[in-house]
Amino acid sequence: MHPSSREKNVAVLCLFILVPVLLTSAAAQTQSANYLIRQNLSGFRGGDLVTAINADPSTFNGMMAASFAARMVADRISADLVHINRETFELEPALAERWDLAKDGRTYTLHLRQGVRFSDGSPFDADDVVFSFQVLEDPRSDSVLGSQVQIDGAFPSVSKIDAHTVRLVFARPVGMGLRCLDSVPMLPSRKLAKAFQEGKVASAWGPAAQPQDIVSLGPFRLKEYRRGERVVLEHNPYYWKKDKSGQVLPYLDTITFIIIPDRNAEALRFESGELDMVSTLNPENYASLRRNEKERNYTLRDLGPGLRVDFLWFNLNPGKDKSGRAFVDPQKRALFEQVQFRQAVSSALDRDGIVRSILLGLGTPQFGPISSGNKPWYRPETPRIPSDPAHAKELLAQAGLKDTDGDGVVEFGEPRRPLEIDLLAPRGNAVRERTAEVIKENLSKIGIRINLQPVLPNELVARLLGSFNYEAIVFGFTPTDVAPDLQIDVWYSSGKNHFWHPGQSKPQRAWEAEMDAQISRLVHNLDPAIRKASFNRVQEIWATEMPAIPTIAPHIITGSSNRVGNLRPSILEPPLLWNAEELTKRSDGPSGKQPGARP
Amino acid sequence: MRIFAFILRGIGQLALLAFLVISATFLMSSLIPGDFFTRQLLDPTIRLETVQQLRHHYGLDQPVHVQYARWLRNSLHLDFGYSLFYQRAVVPIVVDAISKTLWIALPALVLGLLGGIVLGTLHGIRSNRLEGHALDILSTLALSFPTLVLGLGALILASRTHWFPLGSMSSINALQLSVWQWLVDRIRHLALPVACLTVPILASVERIQSAATRTGAKELWVRAARARGLSSRTIFFRHLLRPSLNNVLAVSGPMLGSVLSGSLVLEVIFSWPGLGRIMYDAVFNNDLHLLVGSAAASTVLLVAGNAIADLLMLVLEPRTRTLSQGGLR
């Protein structure tokens, strides 16, 4: 039966209505997120990754996350404007797909990725960027990241140009550029504005928050948190990255962080297969786990020296306490000030012995201010003082120290007395405590008597940076990035972390004045060659003057199940999870399906 | 009336003790150099002004006596402070932690007491036989091992045999389990920490009970009961066992203290989020309010345990009631 004319008219009318609707919806889909495409990446959806953190996260807001556990979780659920690739150490676009630097060298125009949405589906735009910086700047926010973004104590001014463009203006040209924005999360203004106005943004995403209230831009979102037990993150369906075949990341369905405070227990649970990865193994656990590597289907990796360097330094602070007593005996301090003395101590240290006996070979001797693992900035040609007790004794003699009475201890000062030095070491840190014991033994061979004093970490920090009541100390710190700019408080003589003599109003020593000048050149210059040359000079000065004597850098040792794919281990934190959105996990045994792109 | 008076006295003692413990904890914590934010000073990327600002925001820059007075004032409104480590009020954290500690403490106490009484009685009756000597050696060994060693040994055993989980309260998929499966899962996770906590309790109770049984068997009333021709069963249960339990009852209260201190070590090893764990976190991170709150909670539990033991003694041992009134009659 042929359709009537009325039926034909209805059909045409429907076409006129439906076609535009379909075309509009198709257009809407093509206007969806401007995805960041990982050209060399392929994988498959599915899998539940299980790993551990050592404590409960105190917040799920990356802006306030200070502890390792909080950062591990918060950084997986949040996203930044630009991000440091932990494998190449290069800065890459993230939520900002590109940026321009004006000729003044301090004005950045960031072009935001369009179509990006938060984990609840709400849109991300320039208002959220402006809001995030307001939170960063507000003292009520308790944000520790604020210090990272401040240049010379000032925050950049942030303004919105349009819905997807913002402008950042720093007080002066910033040598490291936008690296200071790495891991600074962008927060949802619509969700947190009220809390911000009430001064409660610091606690808005605390441990008591409901998962649905935590809205963010990272590859995962919070699914479940049970105090003392675990944190479970789930796949964020609105994430803005894809792999080369167009598969939206992340691949994993969930990441579970089991809270395990004891490192030995963590290693055991990894060995038993309960955990898929462990980021930092100590040497003893590494040795134990190696025996079952093939049988238990996991892979251990020695990534080489991390960024942490342990130092021995002497208190050069000439100040006095409230009662007028000098922090350090003036005659001892005068001795510590002599470069021959510090060089002698460095020459006496058996760094290879420390690596062998304490780190079981999983460490590297160090001779400069930064780790040899920091490949972009480390200067291999930096002069090294040879490890030679005889040479050390000659240097001590040049400093006026000799053992005149044959008791095995050199004498110093007027009247002459045996040289005894109190050495602080952090109690509970096995590597540093045992390193201090080796140092004691090494220095006894050249006639310096060491009185070892292990103290609790908080007391050590209080004496180191508060009362300055110490003579010598074994300690160190772990930079979060390869660029030395973020450690200017160590390099500058006025810095609070210029450990041997912090907070100087002007540099007290000629070599410190030169270091200050070189660091200033580093942080103010945009030319990479000038920056590198400046920091090379800092390393040369350090290697000669030895304000803090480098000892060793422990290696980063990781372990991961062979069912986990797309791992790109890094010496930057977190070694195995920094590219969590790219990781895959086979759910079946080792002979299971091969990874391949699958919608 | 007697019991009511006893209860009132107990509450008064509890309040006084809690106040003393809190004050002592505050004082001792103030002697530890630094505070919760001290270690952030080590981070070169964190400015000194930021740390000072944080200290001021949380009142940590105030003198100890000012902080203490403020804490006391707030506690009258049942506000026991704010945990900087957990970023929430102390009370819900401590209450939650107590409930989780009781999961391992109560079974350990019950099993330890019951097992110790049974084995101790057996030991006391057969002290000169093989089983008596074996129990002597075993209880000595059990008491020799520190809880830490027991816990680590149990973990290694679990990792080698896969008979038990290696820690935590439940499996990752616990929420998807049926009620019965969840219960089995929970029991499997409890097995090792409870066993490690039970062993020293059982060994202590066993030795106390065996000594009390041996002594009681020689008492006049037991000989008299035998002479009267009472059955062995009656002699054992009424004239030997019941009086011998007094010694165990007397130590069961203080035993709660050793359970709590033992559970701290085990909770860290087995990742069990109980009271011991939060005390560990509080001490390690210098979280003052959490430290005070968890110390006060431990005190309450300890005093409550002692009070329950004393109450049981009052009920089960008539001579105690007479003595409590000021002497034998």
Side-chain angles (χ1 to χ4, degrees):
Chain A
M1 188 175 162
H2 296 290
S4 66
S5 59
R6 173 177 277 192
E7 284 165 348
K8 279 183 194 170
N9 288 339
V10 167
V12 168
L13 186 63
C14 286
L15 274 174
F16 268 113
I17 294 169
L18 281 173
V19 166
V21 167
L22 286 170
L23 282 174
T24 307
S25 123
Q29 289 199 352
T30 60
Q31 281 174 8
S32 61
N34 184 5
Y35 289 92
L36 188 156
I37 310 290
R38 284 270 183 248
Q39 294 298 347
N40 297 322
L41 179 68
S42 66
F44 54 92
R45 269 301 311 277
D48 302 303
L49 188 79
V50 182
T51 183
I53 45 178
N54 63 346
D56 288 70
S58 53
T59 179
F60 295 108
N61 189 334
M63 201 76 83
M64 289 89 198
S67 68
F68 169 76
R71 284 198 313 271
M72 275 286 269
V73 175
D75 285 353
R76 308 286 81 72
I77 62 176
S78 57
D80 38 16
L81 290 170
V82 293
H83 196 70
I84 296 172
N85 182 312
R86 266 61 173 161
E87 190 179 35
T88 63
F89 308 129
E90 295 297 321
L91 192 67
E92 293 180 342
L95 290 170
E97 58 178 354
R98 58 187 172 84
W99 57 90
D100 309 309
L101 177 61
K103 284 185 182 159
D104 64 4
R106 58 192 186 96
T107 303
Y108 291 84
T109 303
L110 283 84
H111 304 274
L112 304 179
R113 203 168 293 280
Q114 297 196 27
V116 174
R117 288 187 278 173
F118 284 94
S119 55
D120 65 348
S122 58
F124 161 74
D125 58 30
D127 288 330
D128 301 303
V129 177
V130 172
F131 172 75
S132 301
F133 278 90
Q134 285 173 344
V135 171
L136 200 59
E137 209 172 324
D138 192 315
R140 300 173 301 168
S141 302
D142 296 346
S143 172
V144 294
L145 281 183
S147 303
Q148 179 179 304
V149 176
Q150 289 180 55
I151 304 298
D152 296 341
F155 284 95
S157 72
V158 182
S159 54
K160 170 183 169 181
I161 306 301
D162 60 42
H164 295 98
T165 313
V166 293
R167 182 160 292 147
L168 264 68
V169 184
F170 291 92
R172 56 153 175 86
V174 180
M176 64 173 163
L178 294 179
R179 282 184 94 90
C180 58
L181 299 185
D182 173 75
S183 299
V184 175
M186 293 297 107
L187 304 177
S189 57
R190 292 164 199 84
K191 199 81 180 174
L192 289 176
K194 185 164 178 283
F196 177 62
Q197 277 154 22
E198 293 169 359
K200 293 179 182 172
V201 74
S203 55
W205 287 359
Q210 295 301 311
Q212 61 269 20
D213 293 333
I214 299 173
V215 166
S216 52
L217 291 158
F220 296 90
R221 57 188 184 186
L222 182 66
K223 181 182 178 189
E224 179 195 352
Y225 165 55
R226 295 170 73 83
R227 187 195 67 78
E229 293 186 67
R230 71 181 74 95
V231 180
V232 183
L233 306 182
E234 64 180 359
H235 170 105
N236 175 8
Y238 298 101
Y239 195 49
W240 40 273
K241 285 187 190 174
K242 282 181 175 175
D243 68 7
K244 67 179 182 186
S245 66
Q247 166 100 15
V248 177
L249 301 179
Y251 292 126
L252 293 170
D253 287 333
T254 63
I255 299 180
T256 299
F257 295 93
I258 301 181
I259 298 168
I260 306 176
D262 182 62
R263 288 183 76 181
N264 295 319
E266 182 188 3
L268 273 176
R269 290 170 85 162
F270 169 71
E271 190 185 14
S272 74
E274 194 176 331
L275 301 180
D276 293 313
M277 56 173 59
V278 57
S279 291
T280 43
L281 285 165
N282 61 31
E284 292 80 11
N285 286 329
Y286 174 74
S288 166
L289 287 171
R290 276 193 79 177
R291 287 195 291 266
N292 294 323
E293 199 172 348
K294 285 202 174 88
E295 182 195 323
R296 300 280 177 104
N297 200 27
Y298 54 72
T299 300
L300 303 178
R301 292 179 185 84
D302 176 359
L303 302 182
L307 296 187
R308 167 185 149 189
V309 179
D310 285 354
F311 296 92
L312 158 69
W313 69 84
F314 299 91
N315 191 353
L316 302 183
N317 196 329
K320 294 179 181 176
D321 61 23
K322 287 177 191 165
S323 64
R325 192 168 157 231
F327 295 137
V328 188
D329 174 282
Q331 290 191 355
K332 267 190 195 168
R333 192 178 58 76
L335 179 62
F336 297 162
E337 287 280 2
Q338 293 190 57
V339 65
Q340 294 92 337
F341 173 79
R342 300 194 298 272
Q343 288 176 350
V345 169
S346 181
S347 188
L349 295 186
D350 180 10
R351 293 173 176 81
D352 289 322
I354 293 172
V355 167
R356 231 177 11 251
S357 62
I358 297 172
L359 297 176
L360 306 182
L362 297 167
T364 301
Q366 299 296 319
F367 300 92
I370 61 172
S371 167
S372 53
N374 185 342
K375 299 275 190 288
W377 289 92
Y378 178 69
R379 184 171 180 269
E381 302 82 19
T382 301
R384 297 181 180 194
I385 296 170
S387 179
D388 181 353
H391 179 60
K393 283 183 179 172
E394 284 169 16
L395 288 166
L396 279 186
Q398 288 174 26
L401 297 174
K402 282 181 188 161
D403 176 16
T404 50
D405 58 6
D407 65 348
V409 182
V410 297
E411 290 87 31
F412 81 108
E414 288 299 332
R416 303 296 281 177
R417 49 199 160 107
L419 178 57
E420 286 192 26
I421 300 173
D422 295 333
L423 177 63
L424 298 188
R427 188 191 294 278
N429 186 314
V431 170
R432 287 179 182 151
E433 273 194 87
R434 281 145 66 187
T435 299
E437 287 169 13
V438 172
I439 290 172
K440 176 180 174 176
E441 195 203 326
N442 291 163
L443 295 186
S444 71
K445 290 180 182 162
I446 63 167
I448 298 175
R449 185 177 291 154
I450 295 291
N451 300 322
L452 203 47
Q453 294 180 358
V455 295
L456 289 173
N458 258 17
E459 181 185 349
L460 187 141
V461 175
R463 289 172 71 171
L464 174 62
L465 296 175
S467 63
F468 308 112
N469 175 21
Y470 72 97
E471 291 182 347
I473 195 166
V474 171
F475 210 59
F477 63 93
T478 307
T480 52
D481 185 27
V482 293
D485 306 62
L486 288 173
Q487 283 81 48
I488 54 171
D489 256 11
V490 176
W491 317 128
Y492 273 137
S493 58
S494 57
K496 80 174 197 314
N497 295 101
H498 195 71
F499 293 119
W500 55 94
H501 183 181
Q504 299 177 43
S505 52
K506 56 179 185 174
Q508 301 287 298
R509 302 155 190 95
W511 53 268
E512 278 180 320
E514 192 187 347
M515 267 180 58
D516 280 1
Q518 293 295 342
I519 292 297
S520 182
R521 207 159 149 245
L522 166 83
V523 302
H524 286 84
N525 237 292
L526 300 175
D527 185 337
I530 295 175
R531 283 167 49 77
K532 187 77 167 71
S534 303
F535 197 69
N536 282 349
R537 181 64 192 134
V538 169
Q539 293 180 72
E540 280 175 18
I541 295 170
W542 193 293
T544 309
E545 295 294 336
M546 289 277 168
I549 299 163
T551 57
I552 49 95
H555 287 188
I556 303 291
I557 314 293
T558 66
S560 60
S561 165
N562 292 340
R563 293 187 299 164
V564 180
N566 287 343
L567 283 164
R568 294 199 276 156
S570 167
I571 60 167
L572 294 184
E573 276 187 10
L576 297 177
L577 265 186
W578 67 271
N579 63 329
E581 69 273 16
E582 300 176 356
L583 300 182
T584 58
K585 182 181 166 185
R586 285 197 305 267
S587 57
D588 41 7
S591 56
K593 293 170 272 199
Q594 292 300 313
R598 195 177 75 208
Chain B
M1 195 61 190
R2 204 177 294 129
I3 291 182
F4 180 68
F6 171 81
I7 291 171
L8 271 184
R9 198 167 57 237
I11 292 173
Q13 283 174 354
L14 176 62
L16 177 65
L17 204 53
F19 172 76
L20 289 172
V21 165
I22 286 162
S23 304
T25 307
F26 242 102
L27 177 67
M28 285 191 291
S29 299
S30 71
L31 297 175
I32 301 172
D35 56 40
F36 182 80
F37 297 107
T38 296
R39 269 184 249 185
Q40 288 186 11
L41 286 171
L42 286 174
D43 188 339
T45 64
I46 299 178
R47 294 167 61 83
L48 179 62
E49 291 76 15
T50 303
V51 175
Q52 288 170 339
Q53 189 183 293
L54 285 166
R55 282 191 171 136
H56 178 72
H57 178 78
Y58 290 103
L60 297 181
D61 55 350
Q62 300 291 309
V64 170
H65 66 273
V66 170
Q67 294 184 49
Y68 177 58
R70 188 173 62 231
W71 188 92
L72 272 184
R73 195 172 54 240
N74 291 339
S75 67
L76 295 175
H77 305 285
L78 300 180
D79 172 7
F80 294 99
Y82 186 81
S83 166
L84 292 170
F85 182 71
Y86 285 101
Q87 287 292 306
R88 54 172 115 167
V90 164
V91 169
I93 301 170
V94 170
V95 168
D96 177 60
I98 288 174
S99 68
K100 287 170 177 166
T101 288
L102 290 177
W103 270 102
I104 56 173
L106 284 181
L109 257 181
V110 169
L111 290 172
L113 286 171
L114 286 178
I117 289 168
V118 168
L119 291 176
T121 307
L122 180 68
H123 187 179
I125 293 169
R126 304 194 182 197
S127 54
N128 293 324
R129 295 198 186 176
L130 179 64
E131 46 270 37
H133 293 307
L135 282 169
D136 205 16
I137 293 168
L138 285 172
S139 63
T140 306
L141 275 175
L143 284 171
S144 308
F145 283 102
T147 312
L148 173 67
V149 171
L150 282 175
L152 289 175
L155 259 191
I156 291 170
L157 174 75
S159 77
R160 297 285 179 261
T161 61
H162 300 284
W163 291 343
F164 298 101
L166 284 163
S168 300
M169 283 185 73
S170 55
S171 300
I172 294 170
N173 63 343
L175 289 179
Q176 283 96 48
L177 300 175
S178 66
V179 173
W180 174 246
Q181 287 172 326
W182 178 88
L183 195 60
V184 170
D185 182 69
R186 177 56 59 92
I187 290 172
R188 288 189 71 237
H189 281 82
L190 278 170
L192 288 184
V194 168
C196 293
L197 208 48
T198 301
V199 164
I201 298 171
L202 192 152
S204 301
V205 170
E206 189 274 336
R207 293 181 83 82
I208 293 167
Q209 180 63 14
S210 76
T213 307
R214 273 199 301 275
T215 308
K218 297 172 192 162
E219 290 291 347
L220 278 174
W221 60 79
V222 172
R223 280 195 256 162
R226 276 202 204 102
R228 289 205 307 275
L230 292 178
S231 68
S232 301
R233 189 187 176 84
T234 305
I235 294 171
F236 174 75
F237 282 103
R238 188 181 297 174
H239 297 287
L240 184 56
L241 181 62
R242 185 158 166 196
S244 69
L245 291 179
N246 291 347
N247 293 354
V248 170
L249 265 181
V251 301
S252 59
M255 203 156 272
L256 187 58
S258 66
V259 166
L260 291 177
S261 60
S263 73
L264 186 151
V265 170
L266 291 173
E267 285 176 6
V268 172
I269 293 173
F270 288 101
S271 310
W272 195 273
L275 194 60
R277 262 280 289 286
I278 63 167
M279 285 189 81
Y280 171 86
D281 290 336
V283 169
F284 189 73
N285 292 283
N286 219 337
D287 188 345
L288 179 60
H289 288 178
L290 187 62
L291 188 58
V292 169
S294 51
S298 298
T299 306
V300 166
L301 284 177
L302 189 59
V303 171
N306 277 312
I308 292 169
D310 288 346
L311 197 58
L312 280 173
M313 281 286 274
L314 261 184
V315 169
L316 296 175
E317 177 51 73
R319 289 176 294 178
T320 319
R321 293 175 220 163
T322 311
L323 282 167
S324 73
Q325 287 177 339
L328 284 168
R329 288 187 185 171

